[in-house]
Amino acid sequence: MENKAENKVNEKVSDTMTNPVNKSANEHTPQQIHRGRWKLYLVIAICASPLFFSYLTYYVIKPTGRTNYGTLLDPRLYPMPKLDSQLQGSGAQELDAYKGKWIMLQVSASDCQAACKKSLLNMRQLRLMQGKDMDRIERVLVITDQNPMETSLLREYDGTHVLRADAKNVEAWLPAEQGSTMQDRLYLIDPLGNLMMRYSVDADPYKIKKDLDKLLKASSIG
């Protein structure tokens, strides 16, 4: 009898020791759930880190060993606006008429002084130097007053699209560093219509060409 009673006690002890283990095999404690969530967050962070750091480097840190000659602009900040512009000698025409191609853009008053003329010359030569890719580039001169232009200037730089727009509309769009104006800069617009780079009007055209070479080679549009 004593042996039977002892066996029953041992079975109860065995059950109390075995059942919690079996139960825990099917259920997770709060600590285990917490650790599992952190592991998931860690995996997501590892996968997302290359994108995060590339974004941080491009838009915040700005790598010092850059290969571009011009000043890079964040294209998301400068989408092409409606300028209420007029095509020289014609009717209303917006800058977006040239979307789908790379646009070199110069801004000037109608008298187009020496720096303006040099920029127009550079734009013409830069386009010609692209050879078979020259048709991927358009040249645009935006005039910010209503005074007449020299016909000889228009003939000399034939192929440059001349638009007239209100100076306030243009200034609200084009960025210029402190101490300079938009007339002091040559701007580059991508085929999607976003402003993405600027140069000084007296920038080295051969170095600008290197930037254009890289952009045209890397781009599948325009």
Side-chain angles (χ1 to χ4, degrees):
M1 293 291 292
E2 291 179 356
N3 290 337
K4 290 182 179 180
E6 185 177 352
N7 289 337
K8 288 183 179 180
V9 171
N10 289 336
E11 288 175 1
K12 289 182 178 180
V13 172
S14 177
D15 286 342
T16 57
M17 294 178 65
T18 303
N19 288 341
V21 174
N22 293 336
K23 185 178 180 180
S24 64
N26 298 320
E27 296 181 6
H28 298 286
T29 65
Q31 291 83 357
Q32 289 175 320
I33 294 173
H34 183 70
R35 286 197 298 269
R37 286 177 179 172
W38 276 108
K39 288 179 180 178
L40 176 62
Y41 296 152
L42 180 61
V43 171
I44 294 173
I46 292 172
C47 294
S49 60
L51 177 63
F52 171 77
F53 285 111
S54 64
Y55 180 94
L56 182 68
T57 300
Y58 186 85
Y59 290 113
V60 181
I61 300 176
K62 298 292 186 182
T64 54
R66 69 179 191 179
T67 58
N68 55 286
Y69 175 57
T71 300
L72 279 171
L73 305 171
D74 185 345
R76 299 169 303 171
L77 301 179
Y78 306 103
M80 188 182 293
K82 184 178 180 182
L83 297 176
D84 295 323
S85 51
Q86 301 281 324
L87 181 63
Q88 175 74 20
S90 186
Q93 182 161 296
E94 291 292 333
L95 187 58
D96 64 7
Y98 312 110
K99 282 178 66 173
K101 295 189 177 183
W102 294 89
I103 302 171
M104 291 187 289
L105 178 72
Q106 174 65 44
V107 180
S108 175
S110 56
D111 57 1
C112 192
Q113 297 296 315
C116 168
K117 293 177 181 178
K118 180 180 178 182
S119 184
L120 293 179
L121 174 62
N122 286 341
M123 288 197 298
R124 184 181 68 187
Q125 297 305 109
L126 282 166
R127 182 175 178 273
L128 290 172
M129 283 190 288
Q130 292 306 318
K132 61 183 178 63
D133 286 328
M134 62 184 292
D135 290 335
R136 299 174 65 187
I137 300 172
E138 293 288 0
R139 297 166 290 150
V140 177
L141 172 64
V142 175
I143 301 298
T144 55
D145 60 44
Q146 296 302 316
N147 297 324
M149 293 186 66
E150 297 178 11
T151 55
S152 59
L153 183 69
L154 296 173
R155 286 197 300 267
E156 184 175 359
Y157 300 106
D158 184 38
T160 300
H161 306 285
V162 180
L163 301 179
R164 290 183 181 269
D166 188 283
K168 292 181 180 179
N169 293 342
V170 184
E171 286 174 351
W173 172 45
L174 295 178
E177 298 100 328
Q178 187 175 3
S180 66
T181 67
M182 58 186 180
Q183 287 87 353
D184 299 327
R185 298 289 175 261
L186 170 65
Y187 296 93
L188 186 62
I189 303 169
D190 69 26
L192 298 178
N194 299 311
L195 189 66
M196 54 81 63
M197 196 173 287
R198 69 182 171 204
Y199 302 88
S200 171
V201 288
D202 59 357
D204 186 338
Y206 291 99
K207 292 182 179 179
I208 298 176
K209 180 184 180 299
K210 289 182 179 180
D211 280 356
L212 282 174
D213 290 343
K214 293 174 185 176
L215 289 169
L216 292 174
K217 184 177 180 179
S219 173
S220 60
I221 56 176

